[in-house]
Amino acid sequence: MNSIPQDLETIVHIGAGEGRELPAYLNSNAKRIVLVEPNPVLAERLRQHARNEARVEVLEVAVSDNPEQNQLREYNLPEASSLYEPSGRRSFYPGLQVHTSHTVKVLAPDSLVAELQLAKGPNLLVVQAPGAEQA
C-alpha cells in the first residue's frame, strides 16, 4: 500500500492474510483497524501481532454474498486461497491444488458493515478476497 489517507476513522482489510500491511496501518492515524481473515491459522497470527494494539481488531470470518459458501480452500499457492473454485486460475497455474480446507464463518458484506458499526467520516476498505471482490 503506497500511502494511507490521513484522518481516517477506520481501516477495514478483508483478506488481511499475513498482515503485511499492519505496520503501515499502525503508522497511520486511523482510530480503528479491523483485520478480517477467515483462515484460522492466519487469524491467530494476526491476533498475536496485534495483541498490544488497542486500535486493532481481528475478525475470523469470510465475507461472501453466499453464506452457504463456507469452505475456505487453501492452495499450494497461498494467495489463491478462496471460498470459490479457481476456474480461470487453473489455466495460469496448472499445478494448483487444494492443500487443505476449513469450514469458516461467513458474513454477507452488509452484515459485516452492520456488525462493525462504522463511524461516519472517512473509512478505508481494502479487499483481498479472491473470487469475492464483486460481493
Side-chain angles (χ1 to χ4, degrees), residues 100-121:
T100 188
S101 66
H102 308 274
T103 300
V104 296
K105 178 180 176 185
V106 177
L107 285 178
D110 57 342
S111 296
L112 175 66
V113 170
E115 185 173 306
L116 292 177
Q117 299 179 350
L118 296 172
K120 290 190 178 187

Side-chain angles (χ1 to χ4, degrees), residues 85-98:
E85 288 291 331
S87 55
R89 290 183 181 197
R90 289 209 190 271
S91 61
F92 293 109
Y93 304 104
L96 192 63
Q97 295 179 355
V98 174

Side-chain angles (χ1 to χ4, degrees), residues 38-40 61-73 82-84 101-107:
N39 182 311
V61 299
V63 179
S64 172
D65 55 354
N66 181 356
E68 294 176 15
Q69 204 68 359
N70 67 350
Q71 290 299 307
L72 177 67
R73 294 167 188 84
S82 178
L83 298 175
Y84 304 93
S101 66
H102 308 274
T103 300
V104 296
K105 178 180 176 185
V106 177
L107 285 178

